Amino acid sequence: MEKPEPFRVDMAQADLDELDDRLAGTRWPDELPGVGWSYGVNRDHLRELVHYWRTGYDWRRHEARLNSYPQFTTTIDGQNIHFLHVRSPEPDATPLVVTHGWPSTVYEFLDVIGPLTDPRAYGADPADAFHLVLPSVPGFAFSGPTRQTGWGVNRTARAWAELMRCLGYERYGAQGGDFGSLVSPELGRVAPDNVIGVHVNALANASVPTAPGDLDGLDEAERERAQQQEMWWYAHSGYATQMSTRPQTLAYALNDSPVGQLAWNLEWYVDWDPTQTGQTPIDRDAILTSVTILWLTGTAGSAARIYLEGGEEGWGERPAPSPVPTGVANFLGDKAIRGLAELSNRITHWSEFSRGGHFASLQAPELLVSDIREFFRKVRSAG
């Protein structure tokens, strides 16, 4: 790892002007009458969001918000890595590396940084404080694009172990959601002597069986739920199939049309139909900021590669058991099943929430913060 260099986001006005021109010149497709979201992203919903993107959204405000936190770049294993490093005012705070998923960016963690690093200022116990390291996943945003093949779950986890070592953190926790829910447990497997505990939300590989015998140890309710979720995933996984097989073909469209990129990402942000899920709506500025970051850095296609790279590593298979204590927060819409999670994780904490959603740091930040604190409080007391 090279010595980290300070970093600030400063996007050229010419690039913002070009984005506006492209949005204004969008060539809209037709849409069948009355289909809603059943054929994909609803056109009326998308047009309204694009109108706001052009006329109401203020990139510079969100750029400044990102720049209010210490940011750095370095090179690990030949790859440029961007990260936020926010130390707590509490000297005995627990180091914690937090990993985002697809199609997210580190911007989506900004609402939890304050409560996690400085609980005293939020009326909570200062013993629950964390020093936060928030890397951009290789290929995403300011850590992109990737320049080599192989940047899947394991290589990313090994890069995080090197990052934490070079920052001087010998013992630390890991947290993540979506793709981060795969990287964080893998970090516990590659550096078990360093990782004190793993906390995940939106656990991505514990909702359906991946091998013969996976259902054998489940109770009847869990088996039925797993089978139903297999059917759900089959009907909704077209985006993942494309990215895990032919991401380069998709990259041309994502890199050429900001509305196309927004639509591609939006399905997951709204979980297919925002009028039906019951999940907490995500603020449109948060959605547009992550989409704008990927657009301005030209990394939507590069970010999509993690599906192919992860598949090459076998992320659809059940990983080896982890020796590290693991906590799971299951928010509304998340589909993790404890019996499946226990096949490859040492589960010591499990929470179910009736609100929030897949992007918990945006949809239920206070619940996520509380659950992270509770889990690591148990880990520290056990250690």
Side-chain angles (χ1 to χ4, degrees), residues 178-340:
D178 189 80
F179 181 71
S181 78
L182 304 179
V183 172
S184 298
E186 187 67 10
L187 180 54
R189 295 183 184 95
V190 302
D193 294 334
N194 305 103
V195 178
I196 63 172
V198 172
H199 182 279
V200 296
N201 61 285
L203 182 55
N205 64 350
S207 61
V208 298
T210 60
D214 275 4
L215 300 182
D216 293 349
L218 306 186
D219 60 33
E220 184 176 349
E222 286 184 325
R223 281 197 300 273
E224 182 177 349
R225 184 177 165 199
Q227 290 163 348
Q228 289 174 345
Q229 289 176 176
E230 271 192 300
M231 297 174 61
W232 182 93
W233 180 241
Y234 178 79
H236 294 87
S237 60
Y239 81 101
T241 300
Q242 178 66 34
M243 292 195 293
S244 63
T245 55
R246 312 296 286 175
Q248 186 62 32
T249 303
L250 175 66
Y252 300 109
L254 298 183
N255 206 55
D256 191 59
S257 169
V259 171
Q261 183 192 301
L262 174 60
W264 187 257
N265 293 6
L266 191 61
E267 277 194 333
W268 204 242
Y269 277 121
V270 301
D271 199 13
W272 316 102
D273 183 349
T275 67
Q276 299 295 324
T277 66
Q279 296 183 36
T280 305
I282 300 175
D283 178 74
R284 58 186 178 177
D285 272 43
I287 294 173
L288 290 174
T289 298
S290 280
V291 170
T292 303
I293 289 172
L294 293 175
W295 173 261
L296 293 174
T297 56
T299 56
S302 176
R305 294 176 195 149
I306 63 165
Y307 279 76
L308 188 147
E309 304 288 3
E312 292 288 329
E313 287 182 343
W315 73 353
E317 303 169 5
R318 190 69 55 202
S322 169
V324 176
T326 301
V328 178
N330 233 19
F331 289 87
L332 181 65
D334 289 338
K335 301 181 185 302
I337 295 172
R338 182 162 186 165
L340 294 178

Side-chain angles (χ1 to χ4, degrees), residues 68-72 83-89 93-94 96 110 113-114 116-118 130-134 169:
S68 69
Y69 295 98
Q71 299 175 77
F72 303 87
F83 63 98
L84 277 64
H85 186 195
V86 187
R87 288 186 59 84
S88 171
T94 301
L96 182 68
L110 297 195
I113 289 176
L116 287 175
T117 57
D118 193 6
F130 296 92
H131 299 308
L132 290 183
V133 179
L134 304 151
Y169 296 130

